[in-house]
Amino acid sequence: QRRRAVAGFKALGLLATNAVPNLLSISMSSISSGAYESYEVIHHIGVQAFDSIMAQTRGSDESTKVRALLILSRNTFDSRREEVVAVWVKCLTDPDPKVRSIAAYELGNAAPAQATAAISALEHLTNDADTNMLREAARALSRLEQGSRAESK
């Protein structure tokens, strides 16, 4: 049934933008084909889905916030990349360690020029009590440093 629902959303194209929260829910389902198809639909909707996904990052439901962050990392919203990076930076202060960890990981994958604003926030997280967060912050800083060195050559 999920597969048919996702196919219906895809057929709607841009009209499916209002369904993005439901697609986020499907994207993290245990049924991998439904998850893959929902990512594909969100990618197909494109930048029009962006505002709805961004709204989900500001919600109070942590699992929805995690889904939205993962969708932002897996889709190419290049024209809005600065906003995505800003959301990741903001999520570094989220009370949920999983949200902070995902944000740190994604910032580590960002281009160094885009993530410069995140460096001080990431450095602050190296004092975090959560060991997973500590590890992700250190990895992100290391990847940004490596990327910066590669860009300067």
Side-chain angles (χ1 to χ4, degrees):
Q1 289 178 347
R2 286 179 191 239
R3 195 177 287 196
R4 278 185 279 189
V6 170
F9 289 139
K10 190 171 183 179
L12 287 171
L14 296 180
L15 295 174
T17 304
N18 292 335
V20 169
N22 293 329
L23 290 167
L24 286 173
S25 177
I26 293 170
S27 72
M28 296 303 282
S29 72
S30 59
I31 302 169
S32 60
S33 63
Y36 174 76
E37 289 170 349
S38 62
Y39 286 130
E40 188 179 316
V41 171
I42 290 171
H43 183 73
H44 182 72
I45 294 171
V47 76
Q48 290 80 4
F50 184 83
D51 291 331
S52 182
I53 295 168
M54 291 293 276
Q56 299 301 313
T57 67
R58 295 185 291 274
S60 60
D61 180 55
E62 298 305 323
S63 63
T64 302
K65 195 179 294 186
V66 165
R67 290 180 194 124
L69 290 172
L70 292 172
I71 290 286
L72 286 173
S73 70
R74 290 183 173 97
N75 282 279
T76 52
F77 297 111
D78 291 337
S79 64
R80 312 277 298 264
R81 184 54 61 188
E82 286 181 23
E83 291 172 75
V84 172
V85 170
V87 164
W88 289 335
V89 170
K90 186 175 186 295
C91 285
L92 291 175
T93 61
D94 194 272
D96 186 309
K98 188 169 186 177
V99 170
R100 291 194 313 273
S101 183
I102 290 169
Y105 178 83
E106 295 305 334
L107 284 165
N109 290 331
Q114 294 173 325
T116 341
I119 291 174
S120 64
L122 285 166
E123 287 171 342
H124 179 71
L125 286 178
T126 58
N127 298 321
D128 199 282
D130 183 88
T131 56
N132 290 329
M133 185 63 257
L134 248 164
R135 187 173 33 253
E136 285 304 330
R139 284 181 186 162
L141 286 166
S142 175
R143 286 192 304 263
L144 288 171
E145 183 182 334
Q146 290 169 358
S148 181
R149 275 190 253 138
E151 280 184 359
S152 64
K153 287 184 180 181

